[in-house]
Amino acid sequence: MVNHFVAFWNLENLFAPEGFPEREPWIAEQLAAELKGWTQALFDTKINQLASIIRQMNGGAGPDILGVCEVENAYVLQQLTSRLNTQMTNRNYSVVHVDSTKDHRGIDTAFVFDLLKYTVDPNAVFSYFVMRRTGTRDITQVTFTTQGEASWLRSATTGRLAAVEPTRAGDTA
């Protein structure tokens, strides 16, 4: 059996810097006060700190798959994976990201995964909005395939490890 190192991390408001030109106008308006003073230098520092911890996971090899929440958009994840890929020659991280249109702060869930180990069918990515008393984060479901084995993962909103249900290629049950 192949081992897969899977982790989940709340990146705690990983937003692009103040004045990010591609920010959705409604997000810019909604978060103007929170983003005030969030400079490129502060953003770069946060990316460096996150990358430093991620590199230490899995005995210094980094995770195979990392589920994340509290990210603003694909741009911030691309910056993070770019930093990781520059620093980790044994990995080629990519991102599965779904834009949240219902979260009142525009916060998304996503997965960072190693393209050297997994493939993702973009048509098999699902996103669900969970409504409690107030709106909450989306749940993103992705099917990762490697060496004839598929596993589905759902992002978690509680900080617990994501559920993994492996299936073998050719299984009908």
Side-chain angles (χ1 to χ4, degrees):
M1 178 181 277
V2 177
N3 290 323
H4 306 273
F5 189 93
V6 179
F8 183 86
W9 196 2
N10 179 334
L11 300 184
E12 298 190 13
N13 297 321
L14 181 58
F15 287 98
E18 181 181 20
F20 176 66
E22 296 173 40
R23 179 169 285 123
E24 294 287 333
W26 69 271
I27 294 174
E29 183 180 331
Q30 180 80 17
L31 301 179
E34 291 181 58
L35 295 173
K36 187 161 182 63
W38 183 239
T39 65
Q40 183 68 47
L42 290 172
F43 174 77
D44 290 341
T45 297
K46 184 163 184 167
I47 291 291
N48 285 331
Q49 291 171 338
L50 292 171
S52 172
I53 299 302
I54 293 167
R55 285 192 323 266
Q56 294 176 51
M57 293 178 181
N58 191 16
D64 298 322
I65 299 172
L66 176 65
V68 297
C69 70
E70 288 203 21
V71 297
E72 178 185 4
N73 53 32
Y75 168 80
V76 299
L77 293 165
Q78 290 163 355
Q79 297 305 300
L80 179 60
T81 56
S82 176
R83 191 72 41 92
L84 288 167
N85 289 335
T86 299
Q87 298 171 349
M88 302 181 74
T89 57
N90 63 325
R91 296 289 189 180
N92 184 15
Y93 286 117
S94 187
V95 173
V96 176
H97 167 263
V98 177
D99 238 346
S100 173
T101 57
K102 295 182 180 179
D103 183 84
H104 73 280
R105 295 178 64 228
I107 296 208
D108 303 336
T109 55
F111 289 95
V112 173
F113 69 100
D114 188 349
L115 277 171
L116 300 174
K117 295 186 100 173
Y118 306 97
T119 59
V120 171
D121 177 359
N123 296 318
V125 175
F126 299 96
S127 185
Y128 310 93
F129 184 72
V130 178
M131 187 60 141
R132 294 185 185 161
R133 281 183 232 143
T134 60
T136 187
R137 305 300 181 254
D138 291 357
I139 296 174
T140 301
Q141 178 178 312
V142 178
T143 299
F144 296 94
T145 303
T146 181
Q147 300 173 7
E149 181 179 285
S151 298
W152 60 262
L153 293 177
R154 286 192 178 136
S155 63
T157 60
T158 61
R160 290 179 291 192
L161 193 58
V164 180
E165 294 291 331
T167 58
R168 302 277 184 254
D171 280 358
T172 56

